[in-house]
Amino acid sequence: MEYWKIFYKQNFGIQFNWKKVAIKNSKTRWGSCSSRKNLNFSYKIINLESVAQDYLIVHELSHLIEMNHSENFWKLVSMAVPDFKSIRKKIKMTGTE
């Protein structure tokens, strides 16, 4: 996560700040971001390819700035993961179960 924090700061001047990061046994989600700026990830993320892991991390970090899936949110994601759409499709096929 620190890598992506530095990447966005150096390349785009965007600063991500979060309070806590937790690894959980989530049954339905790979990750989440709360309005309190807490990030949660399923422990099952470890079984994914590194590009999928990176996408999920960037996805949740982007929610620190955009708490929705608006056009601006997807622009934030695409700054670091331009091929997020294909990665997202693969992740959806994998499922969290």
Side-chain angles (χ1 to χ4, degrees):
M1 295 214 353
E2 205 55 38
Y3 170 83
W4 293 113
K5 182 177 182 174
I6 293 166
F7 175 86
Y8 274 90
K9 179 70 172 166
Q10 288 180 345
N11 292 291
F12 309 110
I14 297 170
Q15 182 71 41
F16 292 122
N17 295 304
W18 59 85
K19 291 187 181 170
K20 291 191 296 186
V21 176
I23 306 299
K24 298 187 174 194
N25 184 11
S26 176
K27 302 247 187 258
T28 60
R29 296 181 183 206
W30 289 106
S32 65
C33 176
S34 74
S35 59
R36 294 182 177 175
K37 300 192 180 280
N38 295 325
L39 302 172
N40 300 298
F41 294 94
S42 169
Y43 76 91
K44 296 174 186 175
I45 194 174
I46 196 73
N47 296 320
L48 298 174
E49 295 178 18
S50 62
V51 294
Q53 293 171 357
D54 286 342
Y55 161 75
L56 291 167
I57 292 166
V58 166
H59 183 110
E60 298 311 329
L61 286 173
S62 295
H63 278 308
L64 293 168
I65 295 173
E66 292 285 337
M67 287 297 292
N68 53 50
H69 289 111
S70 66
E71 187 177 332
N72 287 338
F73 169 83
W74 292 113
K75 283 180 184 176
L76 279 171
V77 172
S78 69
M79 289 175 172
V81 187
D83 59 339
F84 73 88
K85 289 181 183 178
S86 64
I87 296 167
R88 197 166 176 241
K89 282 182 185 177
K90 288 180 186 176
I91 292 172
K92 283 186 174 193
M93 289 189 298
T94 303
T96 54
E97 294 295 321

